[in-house]
Each structure stands twice: as C-alpha cells, then as structure tokens.
Amino acid sequence: MVFTVSEKGLELRKTVEEISGQNIFQCYQCGKCSAACPVVDSMDMAPNKIIRFVQTGDLEVLDQNTFWVCAACFTCSARCPRSVDIAKIMEALRNVMLRNKQDFINIYSKEFIEKMIEEIPQMAIVAAIKKGVW
Amino acid sequence: MAEKNQIPLVSVFIMGKEYKIPSGLTLMKAMEYAGYRYTRGAGCRAGFCGACATIYRLKNDYKLKSALACQTTVEDGMYLVQLPFTPANKKKYDMEKLNIAHNALLKEYPEIARCISCNSCTKVCPQELKVMDYVQASLRGDIEKAAILSFDCVQCGLCAFRCPAEITQYHVGQLARRLNGKFVAPKAIHTEDAVAKVNTGVTKKEISKLKSLNASEIKDLYKKRSIE
Amino acid sequence: MEYPYYPGCTLKTTGKKDEEAALEVAKLLGFELKELPTWTCCGVVYNLTSDVMADHLSATRTLIRAQEMGRELKTNKLVTLCSMCYNVLKQVNLMYKNNPDKLYNINLFMDTEEDYLGNIEILHFLEVLYNDIGLEKIKQKVKTPLKDLKVDPYYGCMLLRPKTIAFDNQDNPHVMGDILSALGAIVIENPMTVECCGAHQVITNKEAVLDCVQRIVNISQSKGSDVIVTPCPLCQYNLTTAQKSLFQKGKINYQTPVIYLSELLRIALSDNNENYLKEYMFIKDKLEKRGGL
Ligand code: SF4
Ligand code: SF4
Ligand code: FES
C-alpha cells in the first residue's frame, strides 16, 4: 500500500515537532500514555492515537477535544518508554489552534463567567485561560 | 522679528512629518504651532484628564516613551503621535450588586488572569504608576491594594495599548477604587452630613438668588469669590 | 533560619488556611518564611512550547525577587507552599539552567530589572521540613501525637512530574508519609497518590474531575482513611467539591475530609491546639476514641 501525506498534513507534523521539540516518530504506538491518562475517558481520541494521526499527517486530529481535555499532568510523559514528552505534543496542538486564532474558551461568555464562583481557586481560572485562550 | 527668533528651534516629527518648533513648548502647543487643531485629544490641559496620551521615540534610542502632551516639553529629534482614544470594553455593572469577594474583579474582567507580568504597562504609564502591580493585586483579590496603587490613574489608556494580554488596566483599577470606596475605606461622614444638610433645603434660597442674576452679575460674583 | 517565601495568588484567598497554618508550623519548628515584598502570579502552568518566552516572564520576575531577598538573608533558596507554583518556578528555573541563551535573552528583555543569575533553588515546604529540619526534630516537637489517625497522603501531579523537578520518588513517594508518621499517624498506602485530580479541568470539564476524584477516593476509603492530606490548594478544592457532587449522585457513600498537610502539622505541633481542633471535629473525635488526646 502506498501511503501519501498531504502538504497540509506534512506542515502540521512539522509545526507540532517544532513547537513541542519532540520527534514524533519516536512513538511506537504502545499505548502506555493512553493507559495512564487520568482524563482519557473524556477524550474523543486517546493520546496515542493523536500521535499516530500527527505522524500520518491526518488533519482530523485538530477536530478532537483531546488536547483541550488534557490536564497537563505529565503522567503520559512520565510513562512513555520511548521518552516522548506527550504533554508537550498536546501543548503544541493547542498552540496550533490558538495561533490560528481558534480559542477554546470565550472568557466573556456567560457560561464561563458563571463558573467563577467565589470558592474556585484563581489558579484554576488562570490555568484554564492560559491553556485555552491565545 | 530678530528678537523673536532667539528662542532656539528643535526638530520634532509629528506623525512622520518634520516641524521646527520653538523649544520650551509642550507637545500640545507644538502640535498647535505646527497647525493642528484639537477637536479631540485635549481636555484639561493640566495633566488631569488623560485625554492627551502621546507616545514617542527619540533619535538613536530604541525605547518607546510616553507622555501627556499637555505636560511634556518638546525635545530635539522627537518622533511622536498622539493616541486620543483607546478602544476599550467598559463593563456595565451595578455597584449595589457587587461585593468584595476575592474574585470580584476577576469576574468583571476575567482577562486579568492573562497577565504575564511583562511590565509593559508600568513602563509606559505617564503617571509612573505601578500598573503591573495593581493588575496583579486585582488578580489576587487585594482590592484595597489595587485601589491605592491605581489612585493617580488619569485613564489615558496607554497601558491598555501596550498590554499583550489585552487587559484594560485602567477600567480594572477604576472598579477596584469604586469597590474600595464603597466597601473597604472608612465612610466619609462629613459628606453624608453635607448631603443631609442640602436635603433640608438650606441652600435653596442661595440658589434661587443665583438663578435670578444675569451673566455680568454672575461674572462679577465669580471674580470676587474667595479662593481656598 | 529565614527563608524567602513565595505565596502565590491562591494562598492569599481560597488557600488561606494552608498559609496560616504553614507560617505557624514554621515558627513552631524554629524557622521563618519571609514573604517576598512584591511578587506576581507565577503563571500557574508551565508553558510547554519551545518557542514562547513571554509566559516565563512571571516566574522569572519572582526568581529575581528571590535573588534580591536572598542577598539580604544570605541564602539562594525560595520556598513555596503551592504545588503549582513550585512546579512552574522550578521548571522555569531549570529551563534557564539548560538554556543559558534563553536566560540571556530574557534578561535583555527585562531591562528594568537586575539580571537573573540562575542560582535560585526552588524548594517546596515539604522539602524544608524533610531535609532542613528533619524527621527527628519534628518527632521531638510533637505535642499531640496523631495517634492512630489514618491519613492518606495525596501528592497530586505537580510536585513529582516531570521527573527533573521531583524531590521525591516519582512513582512511590514517601516524604509526606514519613512526616505524617513522625506525627504519630498511621499512613495509608494509596496507589493513586500521584494521580492527577483533574486540575484546571474543573473549569472546562468538570466530569473528568469527578472521575479522577472518584478513583482516588474509592481506594482511600477502602483502605479506611480518616482524612486525605494534600499540599496543593487546587487538589484540596477539587477533592473536596468533587466528593460533594459524587456523594449527591450516590457514587460514594461518604465524604472523606481533605485538609492541608500544614493543618495537620499545626494540630500535632502546637501546645494549645484546642482552638484548631474545634475546626476539625472529625480529628478530635477520632483521636479521643483512640486515646490519642
Ligand atoms: S494606569 Fe494606564 S490609563 Fe492610568 S495613567 Fe497609567 S497608563 Fe494611563
Ligand atoms: S502589560 Fe498586561 S500582561 Fe504586561 S504586566 Fe501589564 S497587565 Fe500584565
Ligand atoms: S489635556 Fe488633560 S491631561 Fe493633558
């Protein structure tokens, strides 16, 4: 079977590698990251599959909620037998979206403001905004 | 004629065009000297209203400087432009419904959570306020500190222009001062007394007397007023 | 001994209890945490990209403040109480150690500040207790042993990951447990101790936090813990509030109290802890029942 990767797919792969500083082909798809991820149940696509999609330059990867759901807890990176820093790849994918002016949250939306109840620690708000708004 | 020309002229670039301006003039007067007429961007001409925010650079300097045009005198080799207006989102809020919980400011202006502590705002503030510090105080819910640190803000808007996090600092500071005044600072009892007194109608007679005067009588009265 | 101390935003608001208790514990153990005179938010989450420097400014500014205060106090240490502050400050610091060119650039950018020299050492409060004070001394200072109180030390992610910033065994940490044992408590082994609580997802994906917390709490409860102990204000919040929802949904049978390590330390170390115990009736009851008081 001949496997071709589109121009755009190649570009995405390159950008992700650049932003994350990771060699995406280090990953040999063992799935340990996905097994370890504490929030994998809320993800459209498991982390190892996300990496596979980036490897193959499949642009659908950008439509997944995975990297927005990522809590940046570094569990995946700690477990990877190939020393791939998956958390950095998630950050790179977030950045691909954000730098393309596609914010994940709108901090002026009613929905967001309502979340800001008095008990919520600022650190949660700042973290969510840092990860989800450019 | 010759006598007049003894004031040395300096070179000032207003929006890219060079003008020879007598030294000692303020930027505002320099603009007028160069032929501009103010319809916006000037108010009190005394350093209080913040309408005349100006940014400039000097020759051979990379630093971007700021000034209130009415308060700063021209220098040779200035490149300047005035920013009479800052597009800014000013929240509408009902003071009666607000509180001073630690997230009170964050709720109205969640963008303060985006501050990266770059200090650009502090660097540009013509009032030399610690703008970053008052934004940070706001983020951590220290309303009193935010109010005190932003007290001398003239709302010129320069900080908001420089902020990479797109914060409108002066609106945040203003809300902090309002909250501080309403909930934190001690009540000004004499104001309440004065208002109560007005409500009793003691001033009515004086005011109707004033109302009956014509313009030149009022002018006379104004000239003779006692000045504190 | 005086340590420069960086509180962070949350320790001044929802995490106030942690700070109050920790400052007192420090005094009881003979050292002082001196708050930096001015400080800014640490940034909360370390920017993981290779090309964005702006997000490191906040932490760098704090490192410079620590450098200034350190000169006065003759130390290069900076102590934090919050796990996320610890994580960010330490990662940024490490990034400069590994990339002197980035440090050079950022110093150039921050031209109104003194240069950061890269020598500050970031410590978590736990490290100070464990390494600088030591278990022996803590043991000696215990006034009310937490006899038979079953505690579950919960680390969360930010103290131990990535490996380069961990001060304890990454998968099998013992520092917090050792300290709690020194107070006389029974320490429960919970394999979920380094699992994430869901962190900031509490804002954007609350369900995920509920799942995370349920897994953590299930094991904690099956092992019979009386209390879950954490050093992090976000873990404390998530574990407490998620348990409330889980309980309402009938997914757990009861709610285990979650308190800061510093709070337990204060109870065990202070002479007159009646006042504090009032706030923690569950501890008082347990201790009395087990003859600990
Ligand atoms: S704080 Fe901002 S708006 Fe206020 S005076 Fe300074 S620069 Fe102008
Ligand atoms: S300019 Fe904006 S991001 Fe920079 S310190 Fe000021 S408020 Fe923060
Ligand atoms: S015109 Fe009012 S401050 Fe300059």
Side-chain angles (χ1 to χ4, degrees):
Chain A
M1 192 177 103
V2 182
F3 201 86
T4 51
V5 181
S6 69
E7 270 310 299
K8 284 223 159 120
L10 276 175
E11 197 188 311
L12 173 71
R13 185 203 290 161
K14 206 172 125 228
T15 312
V16 169
E17 287 198 324
E18 259 168 27
I19 298 180
S20 67
Q22 302 297 302
N23 175 354
I24 206 94
F25 288 105
Q26 281 278 104
C27 165
Y28 58 17
Q29 287 295 310
C30 68
K32 261 198 151 198
C33 48
S34 308
C37 177
V39 289
V40 69
D41 289 347
S42 325
M43 289 173 173
D44 296 341
M45 187 183 266
N48 69 303
K49 201 167 168 194
I50 290 283
I51 296 182
R52 187 72 193 135
F53 270 49
V54 178
Q55 283 174 342
T56 59
D58 191 330
L59 294 173
E60 251 176 64
V61 69
L62 294 176
D63 303 331
Q64 315 303 317
N65 73 354
T66 304
F67 41 89
W68 299 122
V69 170
C70 161
C73 71
F74 309 117
T75 313
C76 47
S77 307
R79 299 281 182 272
C80 178
R82 299 278 292 157
S83 306
V84 179
D85 202 334
I86 299 112
K88 285 191 176 163
I89 293 173
M90 294 297 164
E91 184 94 324
L93 287 165
R94 280 191 288 271
N95 270 263
V96 168
M97 297 297 282
L98 295 173
R99 292 178 195 189
N100 200 16
K101 297 200 173 67
Q102 283 169 293
D103 283 355
F104 177 55
I105 39 179
N106 172 2
I107 58 171
Y108 267 35
S109 64
K110 200 165 153 258
E111 213 192 330
F112 186 81
I113 302 279
E114 270 169 6
K115 299 233 168 83
M116 286 209 263
I117 48 172
E118 223 171 276
E119 297 76 34
I120 212 139
Q122 293 107 309
M123 59 202 288
I125 299 167
V126 177
I129 290 180
K130 289 245 155 117
K131 293 290 183 201
V133 186
W134 182 243
Chain B
M1 216 37 207
E3 237 164 79
K4 251 192 196 167
N5 281 340
Q6 271 170 5
I7 300 173
L9 298 177
V10 294
S11 234
V12 174
F13 296 80
I14 298 170
M15 286 183 280
K17 185 166 167 14
E18 183 176 7
Y19 297 92
K20 296 281 181 209
I21 310 274
S23 61
L25 290 191
T26 62
L27 301 183
M28 189 167 270
K29 293 214 178 100
M31 299 262 291
E32 284 170 334
Y33 181 90
Y36 290 90
R37 212 181 102 225
Y38 279 95
T39 49
R40 299 286 319 258
C44 65
R45 292 180 182 252
F48 285 109
C49 74
C52 59
T54 302
I55 51 172
Y56 67 93
R57 278 197 170 87
L58 295 173
K59 244 193 187 127
N60 296 323
D61 190 0
Y62 72 94
K63 289 263 175 206
L64 185 70
K65 305 197 175 193
S66 68
L68 294 175
C70 67
Q71 293 300 296
T72 312
T73 46
V74 288
E75 275 175 65
D76 195 39
M78 249 183 181
Y79 299 83
L80 65 90
V81 68
Q82 214 180 308
L83 302 170
F85 175 71
T86 317
N89 155 60
K90 182 151 185 260
K91 278 284 180 81
K92 275 205 178 126
Y93 40 74
D94 179 352
M95 283 305 289
E96 297 303 323
K97 286 193 188 130
L98 296 184
N99 58 29
I100 45 166
H102 69 84
N103 68 348
L105 295 168
L106 202 50
K107 231 171 154 166
E108 295 306 323
Y109 296 105
E111 61 270 30
I112 57 177
R114 306 181 65 211
C115 171
I116 55 168
S117 310
C118 69
N119 212 26
S120 305
C121 47
T122 302
K123 280 200 208 163
V124 81
C125 179
Q127 291 290 84
E128 294 175 10
L129 301 179
K130 292 189 165 156
V131 188
M132 174 179 74
D133 291 0
Y134 84 63
V135 170
Q136 285 289 328
S138 307
L139 175 59
R140 93 181 62 131
D142 193 340
I143 288 170
E144 194 179 353
K145 190 170 177 196
I148 292 170
L149 287 179
S150 68
F151 189 78
D152 284 326
C153 168
V154 295
Q155 317 268 116
C156 70
L158 281 174
C159 48
F161 264 120
R162 293 287 281 147
C163 180
E166 291 148 307
I167 297 165
T168 44
Q169 294 86 337
Y170 53 106
H171 283 334
V172 180
Q174 185 177 55
L175 177 53
R177 293 192 299 281
R178 284 176 174 161
L179 290 172
N180 188 55
K182 188 166 167 62
F183 297 107
V184 186
K187 285 259 169 311
I189 299 166
H190 56 282
T191 312
E192 273 170 26
D193 287 350
V195 172
K197 212 164 147 196
V198 170
N199 283 342
T200 60
V202 285
T203 50
K204 259 203 182 125
K205 220 172 92 195
E206 281 297 313
I207 288 178
S208 33
K209 209 166 103 194
L210 275 178
K211 274 185 178 163
S212 66
L213 299 179
N214 64 32
S216 70
E217 282 169 330
I218 287 183
K219 270 185 193 159
D220 255 7
L221 206 61
Y222 180 76
K223 274 184 204 144
K224 278 191 246 143
R225 79 197 189 281
S226 62
I227 297 172
E228 267 183 50
Chain C
M1 179 74 194
E2 287 174 322
Y3 293 91
Y5 156 60
Y6 172 77
C9 308
T10 304
L11 271 274
K12 293 292 176 192
T13 53
T14 60
K16 226 188 185 114
K17 267 191 180 168
D18 189 11
E19 183 181 47
E20 279 167 12
L23 293 180
E24 213 173 315
V25 167
K27 247 186 233 144
L28 291 167
L29 291 173
F31 65 99
E32 202 188 326
L33 297 178
K34 277 193 99 171
E35 183 173 328
L36 299 175
T38 59
W39 48 269
T40 56
C41 161
C42 67
V44 186
V45 278
Y46 177 69
N47 187 306
L48 294 163
T49 63
S50 58
D51 54 355
V52 176
M53 284 308 285
D55 276 353
H56 301 317
L57 282 168
S58 311
T60 314
R61 226 172 267 289
T62 297
L63 292 167
I64 295 173
R65 296 286 89 77
Q67 183 171 286
E68 287 166 357
M69 192 186 236
R71 260 199 307 273
E72 223 175 90
L73 302 183
K74 305 215 175 349
T75 174
N76 68 338
K77 297 178 173 173
L78 176 67
V79 177
T80 67
L81 279 175
C82 166
S83 303
M84 290 185 100
C85 298
Y86 168 82
N87 187 288
V88 174
L89 291 171
K90 204 157 174 183
Q91 289 213 64
V92 169
N93 207 21
L94 198 70
M95 183 262 303
Y96 289 142
K97 286 220 165 83
N98 298 334
N99 303 280
D101 53 322
K102 287 195 171 168
L103 179 58
Y104 176 81
N105 285 344
I106 209 128
N107 276 332
L108 209 58
F109 175 78
M110 297 170 96
D111 58 0
T112 51
E113 297 272 14
E114 69 176 54
D115 278 1
Y116 176 52
L117 304 175
N119 298 328
I120 294 297
E121 188 190 345
I122 305 294
L123 294 180
H124 190 269
F125 188 58
L126 272 171
E127 286 178 275
V128 178
L129 296 180
Y130 192 79
N131 296 329
D132 294 8
I133 305 300
L135 293 176
E136 266 321 300
K137 182 152 180 207
I138 295 178
K139 229 180 248 170
Q140 283 164 19
K141 295 259 178 174
V142 172
K143 297 273 162 51
T144 313
L146 303 175
K147 198 162 168 271
D148 294 346
L149 187 74
K150 285 191 176 173
V151 296
D152 177 3
Y154 172 70
Y155 278 80
C157 21
M158 289 299 150
L159 289 181
L160 302 172
R161 284 192 296 269
K163 200 172 199 144
T164 42
I165 61 116
F167 64 78
D168 198 345
N169 186 308
Q170 214 190 358
D171 299 307
N172 200 7
H174 59 87
V175 168
M176 205 172 4
D178 291 353
I179 292 173
L180 289 165
S181 305
L183 305 180
I186 299 174
V187 178
I188 276 172
E189 269 201 33
N190 185 342
M192 307 301 278
T193 186
V194 296
E195 280 289 303
C196 176
C197 69
H200 62 272
Q201 291 297 341
V202 66
I203 308 265
T204 42
N205 184 3
K206 214 167 170 191
E207 286 305 310
V209 174
L210 294 187
D211 285 351
C212 291
V213 172
Q214 186 169 6
R215 285 195 295 265
I216 296 161
V217 171
N218 273 347
I219 298 194
S220 188
Q221 294 187 342
S222 73
K223 298 223 168 182
S225 70
D226 297 324
V227 56
I228 297 175
V229 181
T230 170
C232 171
L234 188 51
C235 297
Q236 201 272 349
Y237 173 79
N238 277 351
L239 259 63
T240 308
T241 52
Q243 278 196 77
K244 218 183 249 168
S245 316
L246 289 168
F247 181 69
Q248 277 159 8
K249 292 183 180 175
K251 289 192 174 170
I252 52 175
N253 294 328
Y254 62 95
Q255 301 172 51
T256 306
V258 185
I259 68 173
Y260 296 112
L261 175 76
S262 54
E263 293 179 273
L264 259 193
L265 275 159
R266 181 167 63 174
I267 292 173
L269 297 177
S270 47
D271 245 339
N272 188 353
N273 61 12
E274 274 303 311
N275 261 342
Y276 304 135
L277 274 173
K278 254 184 248 150
E279 269 186 63
Y280 311 103
M281 281 318 278
F282 64 97
I283 297 180
K284 194 171 180 204
D285 292 349
K286 294 266 153 78
L287 290 181
E288 268 168 3
K289 221 188 290 156
R290 292 168 193 164
L293 270 184

